[in-house]
Structures are given as C-alpha cells and as structure tokens.
C-alpha cells in the first residue's frame, strides 16, 4: 500500500491516544502516512504526529463552534479530490471520529467497516478484524469497492509508540462551508469533575453492575476505585437503568479498557460487557452467582455478596495503606 | 412537533445468536423484538411531542421479512404510526445502505426531528444516523444525554470525552440519544390493545424510488473473509467467600503490585 491517512484528533496541541495508536498501525502498512487534524493547537500537534510516523500533516484549522463532523468530512473529501484517494482512511471510534467517518461515507458513497480491533495486509489491501459475540469469535473482512476504505477502529487495538520520525511536512487544507449540515453549534463546553484517571487510560478499573442492587451502592465502587487510584466503570445494565452516566460504560456499546487489573463487582458478564474488558491483564470478579459467565475469564473469582465483600475490601486496603 | 424515530427489530440478544455460514450475516429468523436501545428514542420522542403541545411520533424501521412485533411494542408505548420498509433486496444491507433507505422514508414523512439510538445492539456500527443526516443534508447531534426542543431548534447536551457540550441545532435535524437519557415507559394494557390497530405502512425499495443495487448485499461493497474462534482466556482460581475473601483479593493485588 502506498498511502494511508489517519484522522488525528488533538486537543491543545496534544494528539489523542487513539490517533497515535492508529499512526503506529498505519506506518506498518504504508510508506506515506498522512494525518488529518484540526482545531486550535493543530500546528503544535504536528511534531508529535511526525514522531509517531506521520510523514505529512494536513491541518484543516479551527472549526470554531461547529461540530467537527460535517466540515472535517468535507475537507477530507476535497483533499481526495485534489490528491487522489489514499488506500485507506483510519479513524478512531470516538464521538467525533464516528461523525466524521459517517459524514464522509455518505458524501463519497463509500461503506465503513466499524468496531475494528486489528488489521492485517493481504494481497496489497487491508483486512480488518472484528471481535464478535462477546469476543468469542474473530471475523475478518475487507472492502470490495473503490478506495478509500474507511476503517473505524476501537481504541486500544494497537500500541502507540514513537517511530523516531522527523518533522512532518505540514499542509494547510481548507475547511469548506457545508451549509445546512453545519447548522448545529456548540454554545458551551462543560468539563465533568474527575478526581482520578480517565476510564480508558486507568491502570485500575473497578466496575459495578446490577448485582449492586441499587444506585446508592455504586458509591462502594467509586470508593474502591479511588483508593486504588483507578477509574470507576459500569455495565450497560446500570447505565440503562440510569444509575450512572453513559460515560462510565464499559463494553461493546461503551469504552474498551485494558487496565493492569479490572475488578468486576456484581457484574454477571454479558457478552456485550466482556468484549470491552477481556483485554485486561488481570481480572478479579465478585459475584453471588457461581455460574456467572464472568467467572470463565476471571483470574480470581470470588463467589460472594458484593455488599459484604466490598466494604471489607475497602477497610482492608485502607489499613494496608 | 412531528418526530420520526428510527427503530430496529432485532433477534433477542439474550438468545443464541449465530451467523449464516454462507452469507456471514446475523441469522434473523423467528421473532424479532424492539431493540432495547431504541426504547429511549421512542420515550424521548413521546415526551418532546407532549412538551411541544402537539404533533405525533412516527416509527421508521427496516426489516427483511415484514416483521412488525417490535414495532407493535413501540406503538404500544404511544407512537402514532409506523413506516416499515421490507424487501428481499435489503438482505445484507450495511449501515450506508440502511441510511439510504431510511433517508428516502424520512423524506416522505417530513418530520421536524429524527431521533435514533447511538447504535443498535446487534450490528452496533453507530454510523447510520450520521450517514442519514448527510444524505438528507441535515445537521446531526450525536450522543445526546439531554434533549429539549423549541418550535425551530433543538438543544442537546452532547457527551464528550471531557464532559458534555451544549449544542443548539436548527430543525430539521437528526439527534442520537444514549441509553438512560430518559426512563422508557412500559406499554399499558390499553396501549397494547390500541397498538394492534395503529397503521403500519409497508413499503418496498421500489416504492422509495431506490435502485436495488444501491442497498442490500450488492450495495455493501464489503465481504467477510473468515470467522474463527478467538483465543480463549482461561478461568483462574474461584473461591467462595466465607468472610475472608477480601484478604484473598488484597493478596492478589499485592502479587500484581497494584498494592
């Protein structure tokens, strides 16, 4: 493959982790790796993108109060018009990444492969890997139509690693006016207070599920996560029930986590949850039901009531510290 | 305020799921149910129409075999009517093909707002609503955790990595809602009875003026190469709590140097 482009989200000059992961993948398949970025700080992000393997950075500039989806997709479409289509476009499956990929797909009339967890090259084209049925099976797929293939890739599918690349060539690209599709405007940005690390970056994740019994008992999960300098997570069941916000959800429809240790509290282990956490180095599960599927993948399984085990565990760790 | 809700009827996720060995698509035989993820969009639509003081909720769905049982669930919740696009040519449709069909259907309905889940439970590509918006030439706000409408705009709290953005969009627009955004109501007995006689308009691909080659497996332009068993993670030690399991966890955390 000659050219692969990566959609590189950045914030204040710092590329997102998934962008760096995708660059590591891209440079293993193609000699020319382009990174499409935008927003204030994009110029500062270029150096880091170069270190991670981008040979050329396309800076679309500040999107202002627009949502990135329509205009960044239009910018990529214009770039393809000008320079020809790359063999593949790799996009991280983030909130904005999905918007850009979806918009671009419809604009170019090209399909998107989604929820990719691995890539390989076969006969000069990229083959995507997808974890299906809770990660019990791996499905491989490829595009059969015209390039570019749009690949939406889940975070943590590759390891980000600097490649020792030099300063990339930086080209400014235009951010086209897309009219009505750009009608939605951001009026305010709110950061939620978080005392610990981000869920998908944390070395320790403590998650709660339906077995906690009620929303109030989620405080035990938060306390344990805090003591271990980790992040609290959740199963889909308790997010659907409104106990905790969607941002806490681990699994197929939520975040993929690969911490040093994952502690599942009152989580039975639905396939849709396990696909998001079975990549953890160590898994500890506490559940009343000894036949819960979570025990089939746990390194340490405790058959017991979270309401008695968790308070004792919290006290023991406090004493330990 | 007329709201269209994209809903999907899926095989029960609690049941045994399988891929067709020849097409590698999900086996959709037997009864399909309303995707749980869609119940939030239906509930949100009902609440928005009520808050606006008038209008109705229309369901839009695509299914290979004229399946309506999932639609009846959403009609029983209070939606006024449904449009079901059912056609053999749709088998094997990908997200973009689905979006083309939904866009043609939405153009007929001409709602003020389209709601959808952030992603379906079975396919979970999460791209269809945005593809739909692009095909319609509309703005879209994805990952809504709160939605309010005025006669000509929609205000959304949109989930971000750091927290949320407050986003205002003119109408018409597409909005995707996360689970837990509202509490879906249970259909009442009266609602279930009423749903039986609510109109479900069934359309084919030709009715929508679409080419069969643009949708279904033909339009997907992607293929499954193989499906293999993943490397299995082995179960470790299982202990039954007899009052001291917490000590076993502490020892494990020490062993892996987390403590």
């Amino acid at each position: 493959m000659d050219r692969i482009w990566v959609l590189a989200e950045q914030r204040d000059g710092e590329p997102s982790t998934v962008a760096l992961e995708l660059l590591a993948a891209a440079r293993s398949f193609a000699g020319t790796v382009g990174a499409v970025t935008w927003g204030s700080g994009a110029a500062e992000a270029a150096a880091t993108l170069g270190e991670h393997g981008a040979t050329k950075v396309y800076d679309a500039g500040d999107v202002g109060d627009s949502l990135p989806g329509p205009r960044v997709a239009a910018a990529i479409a214009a770039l393809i018009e000008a320079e020809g289509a790359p063999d593949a476009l790799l996009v991280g499956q983030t909130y904005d990444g999905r918007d850009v990929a979806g918009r671009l797909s419809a604009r170019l009339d090209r399909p998107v492969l989604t929820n990719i967890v691995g890539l390989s090259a076969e006969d000069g084209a990229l083959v995507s890997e997808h974890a299906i049925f809770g990660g019990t099976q791996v499905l491989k797929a490829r595009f059969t139509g015209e390039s570019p293939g749009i690949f939406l890739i889940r975070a943590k599918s590759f390891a980000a690693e600097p490649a020792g690349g030099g300063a990339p060539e930086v080209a400014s690209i235009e951010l086209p006016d897309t009219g009505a599709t750009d009608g939605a405007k951001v009026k305010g940005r709110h950061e939620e207070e978080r005392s610990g690390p981000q869920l998908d970056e944390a070395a320790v994740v403590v998650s709660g599920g339906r077995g906690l019994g009620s929303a109030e008992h989620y405080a035990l999960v938060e306390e344990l996560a805090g003591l271990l300098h980790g992040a609290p997570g959740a199963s889909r069941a308790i997010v659907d029930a409104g106990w905790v916000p969607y941002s806490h959800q681990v699994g197929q429809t939520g975040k993929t986590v690969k911490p040093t240790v994952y502690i599942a509290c009152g989580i039975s282990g639905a396939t849709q949850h396990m696909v998001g956490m079975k990549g953890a180095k160590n898994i500890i599960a506490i559940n009343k039901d000894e036949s819960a599927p979570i025990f089939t993948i746990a390194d340490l399984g405790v058959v017991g009531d979270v309401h008695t085990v968790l308070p004792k565990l919290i006290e023991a760790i406090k004493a330990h510290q | 305020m007329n709201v269209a809700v994209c809903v999907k009827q899926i095989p029960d996720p609690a049941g045994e799921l399988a891929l067709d060995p020849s097409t590698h698509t999900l086996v959709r035989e037997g009864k399909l149910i309303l995707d749980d993820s869609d119940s939030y969009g239906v509930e949100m639509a009902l609440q928005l129409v009520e808050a606006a003081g008038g209008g109705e909720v229309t369901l839009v769905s695509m299914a290979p075999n004229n399946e309506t049982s999932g639609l009846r669930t959403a009609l029983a919740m209070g939606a006024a009517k449904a449009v079901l696009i059912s056609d053999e040519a749709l088998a094997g449709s990908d997200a973009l093909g689905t979006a083309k069909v939904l866009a043609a259907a939405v153009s007929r309905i001409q709602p003020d707002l389209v709601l959808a889940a952030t992603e379906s439970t079975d396919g979970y590509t999460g791209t269809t609503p945005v593809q739909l918006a692009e095909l319609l030439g509309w703005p879209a706000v994805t990952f809504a955790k709160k939605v309010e409408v005025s006669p000509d705009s929609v205000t959304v709290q949109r989930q971000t990595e750091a927290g949320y953005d407050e986003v205002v969009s003119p109408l018409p627009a597409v909005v995707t809602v996360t689970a837990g955004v509202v509490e879906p109501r249970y259909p009442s007995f009266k609602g279930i009875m009423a749903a039986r006689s609510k109109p479900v308009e069934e359309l084919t691909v030709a009715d929508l003026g679409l080419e069969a080659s643009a949708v279904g497996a033909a339009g997907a332009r992607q293929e499954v190469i193989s499906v293999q068993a993943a490397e299995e993670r082995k179960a470790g030690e299982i202990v039954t709590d007899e009052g001291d399991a917490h000590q076993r966890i502490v020892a494990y955390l020490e062993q892996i140097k987390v403590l």
Side-chain angles (χ1 to χ4, degrees):
Chain A
M1 274 158 281
D2 288 339
R3 288 193 304 160
I4 293 181
W5 291 351
V6 168
L7 187 77
E9 291 179 50
Q10 62 85 31
R11 204 170 165 218
D12 302 328
E14 208 175 306
S16 68
T17 307
V18 68
L20 302 182
E21 292 166 5
L22 298 187
L23 285 173
R27 70 176 195 248
S28 68
F29 296 113
T32 306
V33 176
V36 179
T37 189
W38 69 91
S40 63
E44 294 85 72
T48 314
L49 296 172
E51 270 168 40
H52 285 260
T55 50
K56 189 164 181 178
V57 172
Y58 300 97
D59 177 3
D62 199 351
V63 298
D65 60 357
S66 291
L67 292 172
R71 298 190 70 193
V72 173
I76 296 171
L79 188 59
I80 288 172
E81 187 82 13
E83 295 197 0
D87 297 292
L89 174 69
L90 310 186
V91 180
Q93 197 150 331
T94 60
Y95 302 119
D96 288 340
R98 292 214 282 201
D99 280 7
V100 173
R103 290 271 177 193
L104 187 64
S105 156
R107 196 172 249 278
L108 299 176
D109 192 26
R110 297 285 184 281
V112 189
L113 284 169
T114 59
N115 287 296
I116 295 166
V117 296
L119 291 170
S120 58
E122 273 176 39
D123 305 326
L126 279 187
V127 168
S128 57
E129 291 172 18
H130 310 253
I132 61 165
F133 299 147
T136 56
Q137 295 184 50
V138 178
L139 180 149
K140 288 188 178 184
R142 68 178 159 215
F143 289 109
T144 56
E146 279 177 75
S147 61
I150 305 172
F151 296 80
L152 262 177
I153 301 173
R154 294 188 71 102
K156 308 273 179 224
S157 298
F158 304 97
E161 231 179 311
E169 182 190 344
V170 179
S172 289
I173 57 170
E174 199 157 330
L175 208 51
D177 178 358
T178 66
T181 56
D182 183 33
K185 301 292 176 190
V186 178
K187 301 293 182 192
R189 298 184 199 272
H190 300 262
E191 302 215 352
E192 269 160 17
E193 267 188 56
R194 194 185 59 224
S195 48
Q198 216 171 292
L199 177 57
D200 49 358
E201 309 275 339
V204 177
V205 174
V206 183
S207 280
R210 187 72 87 174
L212 289 170
S214 71
E216 295 74 56
H217 292 133
Y218 190 74
L220 291 169
V221 168
E222 289 178 305
E223 187 175 3
L224 181 57
L227 281 172
L228 297 171
H229 308 291
S235 72
R236 174 173 167 177
I238 71 167
V239 172
D240 283 6
W243 295 2
V244 293
Y246 172 75
S247 53
H248 286 52
Q249 190 172 322
V250 172
Q252 173 188 299
T253 48
K255 294 228 158 58
T256 300
V257 298
K258 289 192 175 177
T260 306
V261 61
Y262 187 88
I263 307 178
C265 308
I267 292 178
S268 63
T271 53
Q272 94 92 27
H273 184 74
M274 304 230 271
V275 74
M277 47 63 79
K278 68 193 293 184
K281 280 203 192 73
N282 298 279
I283 296 171
I284 300 175
I286 308 164
N287 201 297
K288 262 201 306 210
D289 177 6
E290 61 182 339
S291 63
I294 192 83
F295 289 130
T296 64
I297 62 163
D299 299 289
L300 174 62
V302 171
V303 180
D305 188 344
V306 285
H307 303 103
T308 55
V309 177
L310 277 183
K312 283 188 194 168
L313 180 59
I314 287 165
E315 286 317 309
I317 290 171
K318 278 185 186 160
H320 192 283
Q321 288 168 340
Chain B
M1 171 76 46
N2 290 314
V3 183
V5 188
C6 301
V7 298
K8 191 169 182 184
Q9 304 174 91
I10 63 170
D12 190 339
E16 279 290 310
L17 299 179
L19 294 182
D20 182 299
S22 61
T23 62
H24 297 298
T25 54
L26 193 62
V27 174
R28 294 173 189 282
E29 282 161 10
K31 194 180 169 217
L32 301 178
I33 61 168
L34 178 71
D35 187 343
D36 245 1
S37 307
D38 290 329
S39 58
Y40 302 95
V42 174
E43 178 63 39
M44 177 57 78
L46 292 169
Q47 291 187 14
L48 292 179
V49 165
E50 196 175 316
E56 62 182 17
V57 175
T58 305
L59 309 169
V60 188
S61 188
M62 184 175 115
N65 54 356
N66 302 83
E67 178 66 47
T68 59
S69 50
L71 291 178
R72 295 289 169 201
T73 305
L75 290 169
M77 287 173 71
K81 61 185 197 296
V83 174
L84 174 68
I85 307 96
S86 209
D87 199 313
E88 274 177 23
L90 294 173
S93 287
D94 73 336
L96 182 57
T98 305
K100 288 174 182 174
V101 170
L102 295 177
V106 168
S107 298
R108 287 167 63 108
I109 301 165
Q110 296 197 313
D112 302 297
L113 175 69
V114 170
L115 294 182
T118 54
E119 60 197 43
S120 65
T121 302
D122 60 345
Y124 68 103
T125 67
T127 53
T128 304
V130 179
Q131 290 165 323
L132 168 65
E134 183 69 20
L135 293 168
L136 292 167
W138 291 5
V141 189
T142 52
F143 289 95
K145 42 188 255 171
K146 190 175 178 198
V147 185
E148 284 170 340
V149 287
S150 72
D152 53 8
S153 72
V154 56
T155 301
V156 172
Q157 286 185 2
R158 178 181 189 242
Q159 184 77 49
T160 63
E161 296 296 342
Y164 68 90
D165 286 349
E166 184 164 298
V167 182
V168 179
S169 174
L171 297 174
V174 174
V175 173
T176 74
V177 296
T178 59
V181 65
V182 280
E183 173 115 12
R185 68 193 69 182
Y186 287 104
S188 64
F189 179 71
K190 205 175 139 206
I192 293 167
M193 295 308 285
R196 290 185 182 171
S197 55
K198 284 181 176 173
V200 176
E201 186 186 10
E202 295 195 21
L203 299 172
T204 62
V205 169
D207 290 337
L208 293 174
L210 290 171
E211 294 289 334
S213 61
V215 298
R221 291 162 290 166
Q222 55 200 262
E223 64 181 6
V224 172
I225 303 169
S226 65
V227 182
Q228 285 170 332
E231 215 174 289
E232 272 192 55
R233 201 184 162 114
K234 289 192 183 68
E237 189 190 351
I238 311 278
V239 297
T240 299
D241 181 35
E242 277 157 5
D244 57 357
H246 59 285
Q247 288 164 2
R248 185 67 196 80
I249 296 174
V250 169
Y252 189 91
L253 293 173
E254 281 175 335
Q255 185 196 323
I256 60 171
K257 298 191 167 54
V258 166
L259 276 181

